[in-house]
Amino acid sequence: QEAKLESQKTEIDQLKLQSEGMIRFLTNVQIYSVQEINNLDHVKQVAFSASLLDQGEGDTGPFNTQTTLIFKHVVTNIGNAYNKHTGIFTAPVRGAYHFDCHILGHGNIVAGAFLLRNEEQIYVVYENPTSGTVSASNGASLLLEVGDQVFVRILAGPRIFDSQNHHNTFSGHLIFTM
């Protein structure tokens, strides 16, 4: 019986060690999970809206080649994913995003631009006025991976007009992470 009692004590000691190890493991998992949740809460807050000209008024274009538009008047940039120096939005997290683009043209010249993900054309914003002023807009929801870039390029040839009324805009926001 003494041998049996000693064997049971050894087994109890081993179970204690295993229990302490599990407690340490679960504590680390809990800390890691709380940090991950905090990070996800932070990244869920992504939204921007910007217009073409920061001040004044005038035409942009026509250009001989497609040219990335730099929307300089930033109204909001929650999460700092939009770069007002390059005109490029860079996805900080994998998820579904929604983007909108509005342009204004006047006179008898085409007003048109593409929304691109990386170098892939997603949609066109286009209007062909014969006179007067016209506007065009379009929007899309996209699945983006971390680091994907979304931006607007004016077509080769078209011209758009902006003023202190901020007619030309580019906006986007994270709908949900994935």
Side-chain angles (χ1 to χ4, degrees), residues 108-172:
N108 60 356
I109 189 169
V110 169
F114 288 124
L115 178 84
L116 293 102
R117 171 181 50 213
N118 302 318
E119 291 295 324
E120 172 193 8
Q121 179 185 323
I122 302 300
Y123 63 64
V124 67
V125 183
Y126 182 87
E127 188 61 56
N128 189 4
T130 54
S131 65
T133 301
V134 294
S135 63
S137 40
N138 212 336
S141 295
L142 304 172
L143 173 60
L144 299 181
E145 300 296 332
V146 174
D148 278 352
Q149 296 183 327
V150 178
F151 50 95
V152 177
R153 279 194 182 146
I154 189 170
L155 304 172
R159 171 183 73 203
I160 56 178
F161 174 81
D162 205 11
S163 71
Q164 66 276 6
N165 293 319
H166 308 293
H167 305 284
N168 299 280
T169 60
F170 176 38
S171 301

Side-chain angles (χ1 to χ4, degrees), residues 4-54:
K4 187 175 180 181
L5 185 60
E6 195 60 39
S7 172
Q8 288 176 340
K9 283 182 181 179
T10 302
E11 188 178 338
I12 289 172
D13 288 342
Q14 287 175 347
L15 288 172
K16 282 182 183 178
L17 287 174
Q18 287 176 351
S19 174
E20 289 169 0
M22 288 300 291
I23 289 170
R24 280 192 304 275
F25 172 77
L26 291 173
T27 301
N28 288 337
V29 167
Q30 183 180 13
I31 290 169
Y32 179 75
S33 296
V34 168
Q35 288 171 343
E36 283 298 303
I37 289 168
N38 289 338
N39 287 341
L40 284 176
D41 284 343
H42 175 71
V43 207
K44 285 183 186 175
Q45 301 174 359
V46 178
F48 78 97
S49 187
S51 65
L52 195 57
L53 295 182
D54 201 18

